[in-house]
Amino acid sequence: MTDTTQPDAPEGTSSQPQTPDDLVAFKQAFRRHAAGVAVVTALSPDGAPVGFTATSLSSLSAVPPMATFNMARSASAWRAIAETDYVAIHMLGARNRAVAEIMSGDHALRFEGDHWHAGPHGLPILNDVTAWMVGRIIGRMPLHNNAVVAVQVEQGGLGDDDEALLYHERAYRLLGDHA
């Protein structure tokens, strides 16, 4: 990656970090940053299930229980997220690698099969995940072509514990996998 700092500044002046020289370096930096894998599901305005993988899931607070995720407003699921009150958030483990691949694939095929069922509020709940939560969307903050979505968790459940599933270098990986 391109060095983004300036050489030592002369005494009495400050050294300010520079931005990366190009977008390629920025994208590569985040590809190298391993992240846990979650899936967010919702219902479209016509009641069809929608969902997507989210590596941007983050805990916002424990009391009250809140989480955030980011998504592109050009994503196939954005209209549903923009117009619904409730979403389901699922944490995936190693045993859910195939589900992660389904949920990041063709949006028209994401809910074909028996890997999910209808849950609270009719939301699609993925089977056999390490944890799932249903929450009410309490904020959507548009930023450029994206949005940060805040959710207050109202209910959920824990599945069996599992080894971590990570997203790294544009692939789903298990701890110890090599690129």
Side-chain angles (χ1 to χ4, degrees), residues 14-38:
S14 65
S15 174
Q16 296 294 321
Q18 295 178 355
T19 58
D21 290 337
D22 57 29
L23 185 59
V24 173
F26 176 83
K27 288 180 176 182
Q28 187 60 38
F30 276 94
R31 285 182 189 134
R32 293 176 180 175
H33 179 71
V37 182

Side-chain angles (χ1 to χ4, degrees), residues 6-143:
Q6 296 178 353
D8 290 338
E11 193 172 318
T13 63
S14 65
S15 174
Q16 296 294 321
Q18 295 178 355
T19 58
D21 290 337
D22 57 29
L23 185 59
V24 173
F26 176 83
K27 288 180 176 182
Q28 187 60 38
F30 276 94
R31 285 182 189 134
R32 293 176 180 175
H33 179 71
V37 182
V39 170
V40 176
T41 60
L43 294 174
S44 69
D46 66 1
V50 299
F52 59 95
T53 55
T55 57
S56 62
L57 180 67
S58 183
S59 169
L60 183 59
S61 75
V63 179
M66 292 190 289
T68 63
F69 60 88
N70 309 331
M71 69 182 297
R73 292 189 294 155
S74 60
S76 60
W78 172 248
R79 182 171 175 228
I81 300 301
E83 296 181 17
T84 192
D85 292 327
Y86 289 93
V87 296
I89 299 170
H90 310 79
M91 271 78 156
L92 276 56
R95 69 176 171 268
N96 305 122
R97 190 181 208 166
V99 172
E101 291 168 354
I102 290 168
M103 298 304 293
S104 62
D106 183 339
H107 67 90
L109 304 176
R110 292 178 185 170
F111 291 94
E112 288 189 4
D114 61 357
H115 58 281
W116 68 282
H117 64 278
H121 305 285
L123 291 168
I125 303 296
L126 300 178
N127 299 330
D128 198 31
V129 294
T130 62
W132 61 272
M133 300 171 280
V134 169
R136 182 175 45 85
I137 294 176
I138 58 172
R140 296 171 189 87
M141 185 168 68
L143 296 165

